[in-house]
Amino acid sequence: MVLHTTINGEAVVAEVDPSMSIAEFLREKLYLTGTKIGCGKGECGACTVILDGVAVTSCIIPVMRADGAEITTIEGVAYSPEKLHPIQEEFINNGAIQCGFCIPGMIMSTKALLDKNNNPTVAEVREALGGNLWRCTGYVNFEKAVFAAAESMRNGE
Ligand code: FES
């Protein structure tokens, strides 16, 4: 089947196997390997992308759901090759990055939240990001990074 979609602001037309997931499509057809596949069952959040403004676990979404839709992946988050997004900056500044496997998904969930609400409560952050498992350590630095990024975004950075 032929898929028409928009990925990171670019129109994409591709012949796809409809049995693929969006995660497989991104990684195997478009070589956008920043989206990771961990559990492959919708349980860990490593594969999170933003689909029409909503954070989704792309490993369990059929590729044809992307037809006519807009997807943002981790490759589309930085403002430019020289300028990271404030969320990326604050993950680095707050020590919220370790091995990096789960980080793209966590950044995408954070972006989906902060694009709609750049002044979230702790409960709202935990609710929005509860589906993302952090493989290396606890969640303290991660939450610090989210709130620092929210402040940066409120300040127009
Ligand atoms: S890889 Fe998709 S939720 Fe774990």
Side-chain angles (χ1 to χ4, degrees):
M1 299 182 74
V2 177
L3 175 77
H4 296 78
T5 187
T6 302
I7 311 283
N8 299 330
E10 306 244 335
V12 172
V13 179
E15 180 77 32
V16 295
D17 172 348
S19 70
M20 288 183 122
S21 67
I22 288 178
E24 290 169 328
F25 169 66
L26 293 169
R27 291 179 55 84
E28 296 169 20
K29 282 286 234 185
L30 303 183
Y31 304 109
L32 294 173
T33 55
T35 298
K36 305 301 184 206
I37 298 179
C39 68
K41 298 177 182 168
E43 293 172 359
C44 75
C47 63
T48 303
V49 300
I50 301 176
L51 173 66
D52 288 338
V54 177
V56 298
T57 47
S58 62
C59 70
I60 56 168
I61 310 279
V63 68
M64 291 315 292
R65 177 64 186 77
D67 197 47
E70 289 195 25
I71 293 176
T72 305
T73 72
I74 189 67
E75 288 88 350
V77 171
Y79 292 143
S80 74
E82 295 77 34
K83 175 96 176 109
L84 293 177
H85 189 282
I87 296 170
Q88 295 169 305
E89 295 276 9
E90 295 302 345
F91 267 64
I92 295 167
N93 294 342
N94 288 278
I97 291 176
Q98 293 199 7
C99 81
F101 190 86
C102 63
I103 298 304
M106 299 185 96
I107 287 176
M108 299 319 293
S109 290
T110 302
K111 187 171 188 314
L113 170 66
L114 298 185
D115 281 349
K116 291 195 177 103
N117 174 10
N118 66 12
N119 196 15
T121 64
V122 170
E124 287 169 336
V125 169
R126 291 181 180 171
E127 165 76 23
L129 307 174
N132 290 85
L133 300 183
W134 196 354
R135 294 157 63 100
C136 298
T137 182
Y139 292 81
V140 174
N141 288 357
F142 172 48
E143 287 188 2
K144 278 194 217 161
V146 173
F147 286 109
E151 185 175 353
S152 295
M153 290 171 73
R154 288 196 300 278
N155 293 334
E157 293 172 28

